[in-house]
Amino acid sequence: MLIQLGLIFLSGFPLLSTALLAYQLLRNGQGAMGVPSITAWLFYPAKLTAGVLLFILFPASLSATFFDYFPWLIQHEVPEVQQLLSLIFLLAGNLLLIPAYYTMSIFTRVGLPTKDHALQTNGIYRISRNPMYTSFFFFFTACFLLIPSLLVAALGLFSLIIHHFIILSEEKFMASSFSSEYQTYQNQTARYL
């Protein structure tokens, strides 16, 4: 029961924090959408896939039988140790995502910024240049552990691969925007962890 309560809390936290960030952006008169950093037909499906996987974590944490509705299951029950591992991955994802949201705040965009932006090197950005994207690895792994389906694995892998190319494109943009300052930051801080 304690594990399930932790799963519910930790899977709902990214949804709540994303909603609060969106509210903050709208309240400040800013939108969350930027310009796709790679071709739109890959960019938007990867973002949508990430959103869907993050969203289904919450109902999966509410019910042990939620995963029964997914095709290509590789197991038919989720043992407690697997739920505990999922909880650990959710915690790691939240420890990256929430501080990244806090640090980026109103500069957060889906895609490249269209207005003034700042190079963030403080807080969680001292550890990782891409803590939001790195958190996806942990969240998708937690999702797969709670919903052991080849479909979930394929969607997570697709999103991670495309997000890697998004990161590479964003790095070029940051290098052109902040030149030597970004080069120094890039040399001192890991891309992921």
Side-chain angles (χ1 to χ4, degrees):
M1 182 66 174
L2 193 58
I3 291 175
Q4 186 170 10
L5 288 175
L7 288 170
I8 292 168
F9 177 75
L10 290 176
S11 64
F13 210 67
L15 299 175
L16 178 63
S17 57
T18 301
L20 290 173
L21 178 63
Y23 171 74
Q24 180 184 8
L25 290 171
L26 291 172
R27 191 182 72 181
N28 287 331
Q30 299 176 343
M33 296 307 292
V35 176
S37 54
I38 61 171
T39 182
W41 63 272
L42 286 174
F43 181 86
Y44 290 115
K47 297 294 182 183
L48 180 63
T49 301
V52 166
L53 289 174
L54 283 173
F55 182 77
I56 65 172
L57 269 168
F58 186 71
S61 69
L62 292 173
S63 170
T65 60
F66 179 82
F67 69 92
D68 289 339
Y69 300 103
F70 283 80
W72 308 321
L73 290 175
I74 59 172
Q75 66 191 67
H76 291 286
E77 68 179 63
V78 178
E80 196 169 281
V81 68
Q82 196 167 319
Q83 292 175 8
L84 181 60
L85 284 171
S86 181
L87 184 70
I88 292 167
F89 277 98
L90 282 171
L91 179 61
N94 278 297
L95 288 174
L96 289 169
L97 183 68
I98 306 309
Y101 276 177
Y102 178 76
T103 302
M104 285 293 287
S105 184
I106 61 171
F107 294 107
T108 304
R109 296 289 177 274
V110 177
L112 299 174
T114 57
K115 298 179 182 175
D116 289 341
H117 57 285
L119 177 62
Q120 299 297 331
T121 60
N122 296 321
I124 194 72
Y125 286 89
R126 289 184 198 162
I127 299 167
S128 171
R129 295 194 313 261
N130 299 286
M132 287 185 223
Y133 294 143
T134 305
S135 74
F136 289 174
F137 168 79
F138 295 103
F139 288 129
F140 297 167
T141 302
C143 190
F144 177 71
L145 289 168
L146 283 180
I147 308 169
S149 163
L150 293 177
L151 175 63
V152 170
L155 291 173
L157 189 59
F158 163 77
S159 188
L160 288 173
I161 290 169
I162 300 305
H163 275 93
H164 177 72
F165 289 106
I166 290 171
I167 288 169
L168 295 178
S169 180
E170 287 180 357
E171 286 179 349
K172 290 177 186 173
F173 174 80
M174 296 300 282
S176 69
S177 297
F178 297 105
S179 60
S180 62
E181 184 183 4
Y182 183 74
Q183 182 68 42
T184 302
Y185 174 60
Q186 197 173 27
N187 291 337
Q188 295 172 347
T189 309
R191 177 180 286 145
Y192 295 108
L193 283 178

